[in-house]
Amino acid sequence: MDYIRRDLLTGGGLKKMIEQDGLRGQTSNPTIFEKAITGGQFYSDITDSPEAKKLDAKGVYEKIAIRDVQDATDIFKGVYAETKGRDGYVSLEVSPLLANNTQGTIEEARRLWKSVSRPNVMIKVPATPAGIPAIRQLLEDGININITLLFAQSAYEQVAEAFLSALEARAKKGEDISKIASVASFFVSRIDTLIDGQIEEQLKTERDGSKKALLQSIEGKVAIANAKLTYKKYQELFGGARWKALAAKGAQTQRLLWASTSTKNPKYRDVLYVEELIGADTVDTIPPATFDAFRDHGKLRKSLTENVDAAAKTMSDLEKAGISMKEATDKLVVDGVKLFAEAFDKLLEATGKTAGVHA
């Protein structure tokens, strides 16, 4: 569930989704918390407290976020126990303002991990050039990490390498690797939004019939094709001898997670990014409206392993059409960091106003 709010935790809504829908975990981010804080009086016991007046806006936000994440992890404790630590995680993000600061990210992730103090929390760290060495270190520390802002398969391979080498380093020191959980979060619909925009621009001026047909044939298909090929890579990485040596010591694979799964384009099915990304060892984070839509009319099938050759063709057709996937994914990372930072600033502004303290 790509959503968190106090009343969902205290009113039994989350518990009900776990029991009735088989919900397995929850993610939070600054945008979600900003909406929760400004959406009512859900946090007035914290924001109106004398203690809040002594804190800055970030301090107030962290009091709110840490309590919500602690309560959510406690609600998921049964799922965590029943799946022997495979499911039942709740994610909390390091400040996006640290996205280009390796040491700052490491320190904040360690602090949040310690503050939440639950085995089924995951700390979210973006896969920026500065984030990847931080991810590597944090995993070696034994901290569960949700790696965010993944778009390119090459970045995913770096993240998987960070995970594998962190586990190997721990195993070498004789430390337990069976309790470390990690997910590699691919942001899906944002890829189609950007690429479809580029296709539409080209179609406006394209006169060549065959080039036009090529462009139209890949519209709305790139994000899912990219995800399918990444899943194939996941199966290779976690199917070889290197992984088997770690699995023998109790390690669990770093699963692929599909994020940004609400459909932005009204031309596409509202459950497109859920239906087409179903496969073993994956996680799909779903915002409430998409969750309701899938409950109502979503269809289940093992879609990730279907038509992988067609997915490869989509990616080569994209190149033929003169659109660079590398340029697109590089831009998405930069834009993603910027959007996250803006959301965080907005969150601190909202928290500051609500608590009457300085941002």
Side-chain angles (χ1 to χ4, degrees), residues 303-319:
S303 49
L304 267 174
T305 48
E306 287 175 2
N307 308 321
V308 179
D309 291 347
K313 186 180 183 303
T314 296
M315 299 312 284
S316 67
D317 284 350
L318 181 73
E319 210 175 304

Side-chain angles (χ1 to χ4, degrees), residues 19 92 96 103 119 124 177 220 292 354:
E19 287 164 3
L92 176 64
Q103 198 50 41
K124 286 169 98 168
I177 57 170
D292 292 341
T354 316

Side-chain angles (χ1 to χ4, degrees), residues 224-241:
I224 287 162
N226 187 49
K228 284 186 177 186
L229 296 178
T230 304
Y231 184 62
K232 189 184 173 203
K233 190 76 203 166
Y234 161 84
Q235 290 175 313
E236 287 167 17
L237 287 166
F238 292 96

Side-chain angles (χ1 to χ4, degrees), residues 325-343:
M325 187 63 175
K326 187 185 183 314
E327 277 173 30
T329 54
D330 285 352
K331 180 177 165 35
L332 285 163
V333 173
V334 172
D335 290 355
V337 168
K338 191 165 165 275
L339 285 169
F340 277 7
E342 283 166 5

Side-chain angles (χ1 to χ4, degrees), residues 4 6 9 26-29 33 61-76 89-93 112 116-118 120-123:
I4 199 165
R6 192 83 202 129
L9 310 175
Q26 191 169 30
T27 57
S28 68
N29 63 39
F33 271 116
Y61 153 66
E62 283 188 3
K63 275 201 90 60
I64 288 168
I66 287 165
R67 181 181 67 173
D68 269 9
V69 169
Q70 284 175 329
D71 290 352
T73 52
D74 291 346
I75 294 167
F76 276 106
Y89 291 90
V90 183
S91 293
L92 176 64
E93 197 160 315
L112 292 173
V116 175
S117 188
R118 298 291 190 277
N120 55 328
V121 67
M122 275 194 185
I123 306 299

